[in-house]
Amino acid sequence: GQHNSSAFTLSGFNDTLGYRAVVFSLASLCYFAILFFNVAIIIVIVSDECLHEPMYILLCVHCINGLYGTAGFYPKFLADLLSSSRVISYHGCLVQAFVLYSFVCSDTSILTALAYDRYVAICLPLQYHSIMTNRRVYSLVCLSWLTPFCIFSINIVLTRLFCLNWVIVKLACPDSNTVINNVYALATLSIYVVHWLFVVWTYMYIVKTCVQSKEDRAKFIQTCVPHLISLIMLFVIVVSDLMHMRFTSSDLPLSFQNFSSLAVVLIPPLTNPLLYRFKLAMIRKRIFVLLFLRKKLPVSS
């Protein structure tokens, strides 16, 4: 982007000028698929009391978070594809940065909570219901959302006061003091590095337990594999994006830079509900009932 007084020109669109209609159609289709699959999972879990258990509640929250993150990107992106100006205000840029950063950090926290849930279910099965109470689950959900909300609310304030934001700092304040920027960024990163270390610790114990039991191995394949795929995808995308923001050369093709930036609102929100739908038997059965069996039921007068 290019900075001009109180607005940014979105120069990333320059590479799409020749085939804007194709990009708009693909982005619209992608956003519709994200909405459909995530809303389907949410409706199934909310409407079925059999699924009101910690793992499914966390999966539901994960899908809601996916809708939140993509809502901060796709409507504006699609509108810009139809517009000739392709400009975002400074405040609009801050809001979008807040939504996208908080979305990624919430995703990390929710997946960490899911790792803890699977650890208790497999390694401490007899204590599962006493540990994973509704109160604890709701506390984990609140922490997953409130922590990034607080961190990036402070980030927005500091961006306005000290020009503290990795991407916006390059555009709006190229000569600013980056010491505050780097200290705050490292403090934020350290919080979520602890999340990832905790996930590694839980899976070390999960794998150790599953090696000793055939029943636990089956549970691992059914419930932990989708979660592990989600974790690995998010980790690779986030690390790639951080490296891109901090170190990538501008000599790389613009289309590659755009894909690297958009991957976080494209791949996880689209693939996560599909992973949960096809791998988790309970959700798969409920979606089948919702879509097909209800259509066959006679309508009572």
Side-chain angles (χ1 to χ4, degrees), residues 62 101 103-116 186-206 226-242 264 268 272 276:
H62 196 199
Y101 287 156
F103 152 66
V104 171
C105 291
S106 293
D107 237 26
T108 304
S109 295
I110 293 163
L111 287 169
T112 304
L114 273 164
Y116 177 66
L186 287 172
T188 303
L189 277 174
S190 65
I191 294 171
Y192 291 95
V193 166
V194 171
H195 281 57
W196 290 107
L197 291 174
F198 179 77
V199 168
V200 171
W201 178 82
T202 57
Y203 269 96
M204 284 172 58
Y205 278 89
I206 289 171
H227 176 239
L228 262 180
I229 295 171
S230 296
L231 276 165
I232 292 166
M233 275 194 312
L234 185 65
F235 180 78
V236 170
I237 289 168
V238 169
V239 170
S240 301
D241 198 38
L242 287 172
V264 76
N272 285 336
Y276 299 146

Side-chain angles (χ1 to χ4, degrees), residues 66-100:
L67 293 177
Y68 161 70
T70 52
F73 170 75
Y74 281 97
K76 171 63 177 166
F77 178 65
L78 293 170
D80 285 334
L81 285 171
L82 296 176
S83 170
S84 57
S85 62
R86 299 183 299 280
V87 169
I88 187 169
S89 69
Y90 177 68
H91 292 100
C93 188
L94 289 179
V95 170
Q96 191 171 66
F98 174 85
V99 171
L100 294 178

Side-chain angles (χ1 to χ4, degrees), residues 97-293:
F98 174 85
V99 171
L100 294 178
Y101 287 156
S102 60
F103 152 66
V104 171
C105 291
S106 293
D107 237 26
T108 304
S109 295
I110 293 163
L111 287 169
T112 304
L114 273 164
Y116 177 66
D117 173 80
R118 292 298 83 205
Y119 162 74
V120 177
I122 292 173
C123 300
L124 305 168
L126 298 179
Q127 301 171 51
Y128 181 76
H129 290 291
S130 61
I131 294 173
M132 295 302 292
T133 60
N134 284 341
R135 184 176 179 179
R136 177 158 293 176
V137 172
Y138 296 138
S139 297
L140 289 171
V141 170
C142 288
L143 278 173
S144 298
W145 276 336
L146 289 176
T147 304
F149 179 83
C150 293
I151 289 171
F152 292 107
S153 293
I154 296 168
N155 185 240
I156 294 299
V157 172
L158 292 176
T159 300
R160 298 196 63 169
L161 295 177
F162 303 111
C163 204
L164 174 118
N165 192 296
W166 282 0
V167 178
I168 299 171
V169 72
K170 293 180 183 177
L171 300 171
C173 338
D175 300 320
S176 67
N177 181 0
T178 57
V179 173
I180 301 173
N181 178 48
N182 289 332
V183 168
Y184 192 82
L186 287 172
T188 303
L189 277 174
S190 65
I191 294 171
Y192 291 95
V193 166
V194 171
H195 281 57
W196 290 107
L197 291 174
F198 179 77
V199 168
V200 171
W201 178 82
T202 57
Y203 269 96
M204 284 172 58
Y205 278 89
I206 289 171
V207 170
K208 184 180 176 182
T209 302
C210 289
V211 167
Q212 302 166 2
S213 166
K214 188 175 181 180
E215 185 182 333
D216 286 334
R217 280 200 296 273
K219 190 186 291 186
F220 177 86
I221 291 169
Q222 188 181 62
T223 63
C224 294
V225 169
H227 176 239
L228 262 180
I229 295 171
S230 296
L231 276 165
I232 292 166
M233 275 194 312
L234 185 65
F235 180 78
V236 170
I237 289 168
V238 169
V239 170
S240 301
D241 198 38
L242 287 172
M243 298 296 286
H244 169 258
M245 284 193 294
R246 293 297 259 176
F247 306 114
T248 296
S249 167
S250 57
D251 296 333
L252 287 171
L254 187 58
S255 55
F256 176 82
Q257 294 182 51
N258 287 343
F259 179 78
S260 175
S261 300
L262 301 183
V264 76
V265 289
L266 173 65
I267 298 173
L270 186 59
T271 55
N272 285 336
L274 292 175
L275 282 170
Y276 299 146
R277 180 187 171 199
F278 291 116
K279 285 290 183 183
L280 299 176
M282 285 286 282
I283 290 181
R284 190 169 63 244
K285 288 174 185 174
R286 300 297 171 184
I287 288 178
F288 180 80
V289 169
L290 194 68
L291 292 179
F292 299 106
L293 297 187

Side-chain angles (χ1 to χ4, degrees), residues 20-76:
R20 200 184 304 172
V22 175
V23 175
F24 179 83
S25 300
L26 289 174
S28 299
L29 184 64
C30 181
Y31 189 39
F32 174 79
I34 288 169
L35 290 174
F36 177 79
F37 291 127
N38 282 280
V39 169
I41 298 286
I42 293 165
I43 290 173
V44 167
I45 293 174
V46 169
S47 62
D48 194 330
E49 288 188 8
C50 295
L51 300 178
H52 291 181
E53 295 196 9
M55 182 180 72
Y56 297 109
I57 291 169
L58 291 169
L59 292 182
C60 182
V61 171
H62 196 199
C63 290
I64 292 170
N65 194 57
L67 293 177
Y68 161 70
T70 52
F73 170 75
Y74 281 97
K76 171 63 177 166

